[in-house]
Amino acid sequence: MLRSMCRYLMIFALFVSISPLATAAEVNKLDESLVAVESRANNLRSQAIKQAFKDVVLKNTGTETALTHPDVVKQLAKASSLMTQYGYQELDGELFIQVNFDHKRLISLLRQAGLPVWGKQRPLTLMWLVEDIENERSILSDASSSSTREVFNTQSDNRGVPLVFPLMDLDDAMQVGVNDIRGQFTDNVANASLRYQFNYFIMATIAPQGSVFRYQMALYPRERADDASQLTPLINANGEVATVEKAVTAITAAASEYYVSQYAIADSGEKLTTKIAFTDVSHMKQLVEIETYLNQLSAIKTASVARVEGTTVEFNLALFGNEDDLHRLMKLDPRIEVIKSITADDMEYASFEPMAKVEKQIQIYYWKGQ
């Protein structure tokens, strides 16, 4: 079990990069998948390539419905045409095939199909889970060797949903007990969570009920809204399934679907544009980093420098979605700090292009860097 756990942790580490100072995670290698195979037979390789294609579609859209879209189903039949390379490797005595796909062509397929595209920067979720094993209830910890934790690692990778678990050291144990999570005593769990870096937290339970397993979960933001007296769940989900694995899959999928609704962006088909500015940009390296960052965001079609004045740089942006989509996505990134909004009339620039007079508010950001 420990060797198997280490294997999956190693695989998970390939896909997620979490900064100790960040509240979000960057999910990498969205164009590749690792699929278990029984042998190197041609027919098994063909099946594995198709499964890998499904995996990367799911990672890049975050939603199961993408797999049933006619354009995706059509491409599935010729999945190898988007493949760039594949190779076999053995992990803990088990044979896997690693398949890589052309990321630009994959995203182009999803855009043309009108499907949401989920970028690399994703919310980090703190998971408070009570599991019931042989009538003994416990909170799944970061150091747990439970098979449930292994399944969470696998589903986290499959969905591209970064998860962290509480340490359950003395500090945690003094604040949060099994009944706090089972009873959805949100305040206790929210207070205990503040020591961790995360964007959202989940309170969940999985327990046997006769011949099935019953699960329930609630997803909460890190902080309550300014006009709210307490935290309220963003989503709730519950059900009965045949196995613990299916319960974990359902919990992870519910969180993924919510995040897709917030951070994955489909092409609206409209010619939407906006402007944003970054202040305190004093080096060319910063400007290059910012422009590179903007051009890789799933909300942005193109980004280009419009005007510069001193250390303030304004960008012209063409968008896939609307401005709210863009700002919500940027707010997630720990490298960026929101400063204020200001009208164009209040800003004096050296212009790179003719600009019409604009009264619209421009959002100002500060780039903290890598």
Side-chain angles (χ1 to χ4, degrees):
M1 174 63 72
L2 181 58
R3 292 177 65 195
S4 182
M5 172 70 79
C6 291
R7 183 189 76 199
Y8 279 101
L9 286 174
M10 178 180 68
I11 295 172
F12 180 69
L14 293 175
F15 289 91
V16 178
S17 174
I18 301 175
S19 164
L21 299 177
T23 56
E26 188 173 277
V27 179
N28 301 307
K29 301 185 184 296
L30 290 171
D31 57 355
E32 74 177 50
S33 178
L34 204 61
V35 181
V37 290
E38 294 182 359
S39 73
R40 302 180 186 228
N42 289 343
N43 64 320
L44 294 181
R45 182 176 70 236
S46 178
Q47 293 173 20
I49 290 172
K50 290 181 178 180
Q51 180 57 53
F53 176 74
K54 290 182 180 179
D55 292 345
V56 297
V57 168
L58 188 58
K59 286 177 185 177
N60 283 277
T61 64
T63 176
E64 292 277 0
T65 58
L67 300 176
T68 61
H69 190 283
D71 290 359
V72 174
V73 173
K74 181 179 179 181
Q75 184 62 56
L76 178 62
K78 49 180 181 179
S80 59
S81 67
L82 288 185
M83 182 179 68
T84 57
Q85 64 179 11
Y86 73 88
Y88 292 95
Q89 55 183 288
E90 286 193 17
L91 295 170
D92 197 21
E94 189 172 358
L95 184 64
F96 289 83
I97 181 171
Q98 179 178 306
V99 186
N100 291 71
F101 295 91
D102 186 315
H103 190 72
K104 288 186 178 179
R105 291 175 63 195
L106 174 66
I107 298 303
S108 178
L109 168 68
L110 300 179
R111 290 293 188 199
Q112 290 175 12
L115 292 167
V117 173
W118 199 5
K120 294 190 297 183
Q121 202 69 31
R122 303 190 176 185
L124 187 57
T125 306
L126 177 62
M127 177 68 67
W128 294 93
L129 175 86
V130 172
E131 59 176 346
D132 190 329
I133 302 176
E134 297 179 351
N135 294 320
E136 289 191 13
R137 294 167 178 154
S138 61
I139 299 173
L140 194 63
S141 72
D142 180 65
S144 173
S145 59
S146 164
S147 60
T148 305
R149 176 63 191 278
E150 183 175 323
V151 178
F152 266 113
N153 290 336
T154 303
Q155 287 302 313
S156 174
D157 172 31
N158 290 345
R159 286 275 183 173
V161 178
L163 300 174
V164 292
F165 290 81
L167 296 172
M168 291 314 300
D169 55 9
L170 183 60
D171 287 342
D172 286 340
M174 290 288 288
Q175 295 187 73
V176 179
V178 166
N179 290 334
D180 290 309
I181 297 173
R182 294 183 72 243
Q184 293 288 304
F185 294 116
T186 312
D187 288 347
N188 291 351
V189 177
N191 290 335
S193 299
L194 292 177
R195 65 187 293 211
Y196 298 99
Q197 299 295 335
F198 68 98
N199 300 98
Y200 299 86
F201 70 91
I202 289 175
M203 297 168 64
T205 61
I206 300 176
Q209 190 168 346
S211 60
V212 298
F213 289 86
R214 181 165 183 78
Y215 72 88
Q216 61 177 3
M217 63 86 74
L219 176 70
Y220 294 89
R222 181 182 179 90
E223 299 174 348
R224 69 175 187 267
D226 292 337
D227 57 350
S229 59
Q230 61 183 13
L231 282 172
T232 55
L234 299 165
I235 57 167
N236 289 286
N238 61 79
E240 294 180 354
V241 291
T243 64
V244 170
E245 289 78 7
K246 289 184 181 297
V248 171
T249 299
I251 291 170
T252 310
S256 178
E257 294 288 347
Y258 174 78
Y259 296 147
V260 166
S261 72
Q262 299 296 303
Y263 304 111
I265 300 165
D267 191 345
S268 66
E270 301 178 20
K271 294 182 179 180
L272 300 175
T273 62
T274 191
K275 302 178 188 298
I276 61 172
F278 282 82
T279 189
D280 202 21
V281 181
S282 55
H283 301 285
M284 180 59 69
K285 179 183 177 183
Q286 292 173 291
L287 181 57
V288 172
E289 287 178 352
I290 294 169
E291 192 164 12
T292 300
Y293 162 75
L294 292 175
N295 276 304
Q296 61 84 37
L297 281 179
S298 59
I300 295 176
K301 293 180 182 179
T302 59
S304 59
V305 175
R307 296 188 287 181
V308 175
E309 173 65 25
T311 60
T312 300
V313 183
E314 182 184 312
F315 289 86
N316 283 334
L317 307 179
L319 305 178
F320 285 109
N322 58 43
E323 290 185 56
D324 288 341
D325 292 330
L326 171 66
H327 295 308
R328 185 165 56 246
L329 187 61
M330 292 180 68
K331 186 177 179 181
L332 182 66
D333 200 305
R335 294 172 295 182
I336 289 175
E337 181 179 340
V338 178
I339 304 298
K340 60 181 177 180
S341 294
I342 193 169
T343 62
D345 281 349
D346 295 326
M347 304 169 72
E348 295 182 358
Y349 294 96
S351 181
F352 282 103
E353 58 183 46
M355 300 291 292
K357 185 177 180 180
V358 178
E359 297 293 340
K360 189 175 182 180
Q361 292 268 309
I362 295 176
Q363 181 63 62
I364 310 298
Y365 289 97
Y366 171 71
W367 177 252
K368 297 179 181 178
Q370 306 295 338

